[in-house]
Amino acid sequence: MTTAFRKYLTMDHDRGVISARSTTVLIAGCVMVFLSTGSFKANSVFVDDVISIYRTSYIFAGTAFVAQPAVAFIVAGIGGSWLQSVSYRSMGVFGGVLFGAGFVYQGVFGYRLHQLFIAMIITAFGGGLLHFAFFMSYIEHFRDKFSVAFATRELFAYLGVSMLPPFVEILNSDYGIHGAYLLLGALAWNCIACGAVLKPVIGTTRESSVNQMATQDKLRTIVENCCCFRCTNEPDGVETPGCSSIFTIFDCSPITAHIQFAIYLIVHSLLYYTFTAWAIFLVPFGTSTGLLTSEAVFLSTAGGIGGFMGKISAILVFYLEWMNIIIAGVIPSCLICTGLFVYMVSSDYILMLTSSCLCGFGIAFADSALSGIVQQYLCSYHLRQGLAISYIFAGVFMQLGGTLSGAILDSTGSFLLVFGSMFFANIIICLFSVVLCAMDKDIPECGDSRSRNDGV
């Protein structure tokens, strides 16, 4: 072991090292979400090509492309089980490998529709592992400031939405669909480096000097034996967020114990239905109105710019401690409905760009806001399982967004009905958000909440 590393192990970790490490984790998460969300939105560039080359329908194309985020969310929902045997870093690195490998597979072998499904599922598994590892790592590193840190990271998701689709359209024009996917896969493999920087928090201000020594001794043993960071990193054996307990996948007790959380799930899931249907079919909708693909792709850019502003607004509202379900659910859903209505009544390019910006703002703001207030509807005992369920429900509704929207297009040929279904979904979001606001704010504690909360 080098002298520098020995010096690092004996440093006072309360004086800046944790802050520097947490900042690194924050930046890595920003890069990861930029690539993962941006690459999903970039798939909209390929929809018309896939339908033409593979001679398939919208329902199959939509189902294939939406499998990337949908399966990722489901994998993230059950990812806690894997954390019993691997570290954040191992999960992040392996997730990064899979995330890029799916795109590379599509670039090399993607000559049939089933191969596109395989590619998207490989990418989805990698994305799910990355998202879960970073989500739990953010909780550990930022704790009281988690909502602000999470919202900051999500800013870069919509930078990816605004920047990657035009970039991928250029690649598609110059190198074709297979060359574009190969280069996208090479870009996505940067997530391996993002996962590699994930490390546990060492030495918090609540630890005594004896506990710090015990933690440093454990780290020294881990490094010398080339092992991963595992469970019970606290000297007394208490679980921490870095070692999430095994999720019982079919345990729905958070829903049955907290009716507020059940309503929250409806609101949260319908938002993801809206996002995927809007994200996948926005560019094809633009081309159906007579726009060139090179013009229609800027509808995604406008949506990304709006989303970026929505994320900034969410950070500001969280910082000012103004966030509530009306601001998180009702206002964004009204903005989204306004944008969708303009899509349905006008084909003017400027108005469509404005509508995309408005929809992007509403979806992005609601995404950060709802993710940041979920803990208000769960007791500490059900928090982890509730988070898992919210991921799984989001994944199912994301898949539904692609499949149902594709089925509507195939059966009617009308993009207006697709946007109409999203409009109806956001009416429900608005109504259920009002119901949630009117309900009792007190969430009863369940089971051994106190002991469970000690590990969070």
Side-chain angles (χ1 to χ4, degrees):
M1 191 180 299
T2 64
T3 303
F5 190 74
R6 289 182 185 276
K7 182 178 180 181
Y8 171 78
L9 288 175
T10 58
M11 287 178 66
D12 183 355
H13 291 279
D14 288 337
R15 298 181 180 176
V17 175
I18 292 178
S19 177
R21 176 173 293 180
S22 298
T23 301
T24 303
V25 170
L26 177 63
I27 294 172
C30 292
V31 175
M32 182 276 296
V33 80
F34 174 91
L35 293 172
S36 61
T37 307
S39 65
F40 163 62
K41 190 67 181 72
N43 282 329
S44 62
V45 171
F46 300 119
V47 171
D48 289 335
D49 287 343
V50 165
I51 291 173
S52 175
I53 296 171
Y54 298 154
R55 298 180 180 179
T56 186
S57 58
Y58 280 110
I59 185 172
F60 290 114
T63 301
F65 284 130
V66 174
Q68 180 187 336
V71 175
F73 268 67
I74 294 172
V75 170
I78 63 177
S81 299
W82 210 37
L83 274 186
Q84 285 286 1
S85 55
V86 300
S87 64
Y88 292 149
R89 177 184 287 179
S90 298
M91 179 178 278
V93 170
F94 186 61
V97 171
L98 291 179
F99 181 63
F103 292 127
V104 172
Y105 175 88
Q106 173 62 16
V108 176
F109 302 106
Y111 293 93
R112 296 289 188 274
L113 182 62
H114 73 275
Q115 292 166 331
L116 177 63
F117 272 94
I118 293 172
M120 292 299 104
I121 290 173
I122 293 172
T123 295
F125 266 87
L129 297 177
L130 280 166
H131 276 277
F132 187 88
F134 271 97
F135 188 90
M136 297 303 294
S137 186
Y138 270 39
I139 290 176
E140 178 180 321
H141 279 267
F142 298 102
R143 296 185 181 270
D144 294 340
K145 297 297 183 182
F146 167 75
S147 295
V148 175
F150 184 81
T152 302
R153 188 199 77 165
E154 291 301 293
L155 278 173
F156 289 81
Y158 279 83
L159 276 180
V161 167
S162 65
M163 295 175 65
L164 280 187
F167 175 69
V168 171
E169 168 59 22
I170 294 173
L171 296 181
N172 191 30
S173 299
D174 291 346
Y175 303 105
I177 187 171
H178 294 96
Y181 267 120
L182 274 173
L183 293 172
L184 186 59
L187 185 64
W189 265 331
N190 283 283
C191 288
I192 297 174
C194 295
V197 306
L198 292 181
K199 295 180 181 180
V201 175
I202 304 173
T204 65
T205 57
R206 291 176 294 177
E207 283 183 316
S208 65
S209 58
V210 174
N211 289 350
Q212 283 194 21
M213 291 178 62
T215 305
Q216 292 166 7
D217 288 341
K218 182 177 288 294
L219 176 61
R220 185 179 292 109
T221 301
I222 290 167
V223 174
E224 289 175 346
N225 290 282
C226 301
C227 294
C228 295
F229 180 74
R230 302 284 177 117
C231 292
T232 61
N233 60 312
E234 297 287 343
D236 57 4
V238 175
E239 271 192 331
T240 67
C243 314
S244 174
S245 57
I246 295 179
F247 291 134
T248 304
I249 299 172
F250 300 107
D251 177 14
C252 295
S253 59
I255 299 175
T256 57
H258 307 291
I259 186 63
Q260 295 98 323
F261 178 66
I263 297 174
Y264 167 89
L265 272 182
I266 296 173
V267 172
H268 187 250
S269 301
L270 287 175
L271 175 69
Y272 278 93
Y273 169 87
T274 301
F275 171 68
T276 50
W278 174 76
I280 285 295
F281 293 110
L282 184 58
V283 173
F285 165 68
T287 57
S288 74
T289 64
L291 298 175
L292 300 174
T293 303
S294 58
E295 296 172 327
V297 75
F298 284 102
L299 296 177
S300 290
T301 300
I305 293 171
F308 185 79
M309 293 188 294
K311 295 295 186 180
I312 291 177
S313 300
I315 294 172
L316 179 62
V317 174
F318 273 122
Y319 180 78
L320 296 174
E321 299 182 353
W322 291 349
M323 191 64 73
N324 56 55
I325 189 61
I326 297 298
I327 295 176
V330 175
I331 295 176
S333 62
C334 290
L335 293 176
I336 295 168
C337 284
T338 302
L340 293 172
F341 179 76
V342 174
Y343 283 139
M344 292 187 283
V345 299
S346 176
S347 58
D348 181 78
Y349 186 47
I350 300 300
L351 284 178
M352 290 169 64
L353 288 172
T354 304
S355 297
S356 297
C357 188
L358 196 60
C359 287
F361 180 95
I363 292 171
F365 183 92
D367 181 26
S368 286
L370 292 173
S371 297
I373 65 174
V374 59
Q375 68 270 19
Q376 297 179 14
Y377 305 108
L378 289 164
C379 67
S380 56
Y381 179 79
H382 284 122
L383 179 59
R384 290 180 180 173
Q385 181 63 16
L387 288 175
I389 291 173
S390 68
Y391 267 113
I392 293 171
F393 268 69
V396 170
F397 273 75
M398 290 175 95
Q399 189 65 64
L400 184 64
T403 302
L404 181 59
S405 298
I408 292 173
L409 277 174
D410 287 334
S411 59
T412 67
S414 173
F415 281 96
L416 296 182
L417 290 178
V418 173
F419 289 117
S421 70
M422 289 185 271
F423 187 92
F424 179 70
N426 279 273
I427 293 296
I428 297 176
I429 290 174
C430 184
L431 293 176
F432 275 78
S433 295
V434 172
V435 171
L436 198 55
C437 179
M439 296 183 70
D440 186 7
K441 301 291 192 302
D442 294 330
I443 303 298
E445 293 291 343
C446 305
D448 55 339
S449 297
R450 180 173 299 178
S451 62
R452 180 75 61 91
N453 193 41
D454 289 340
V456 175

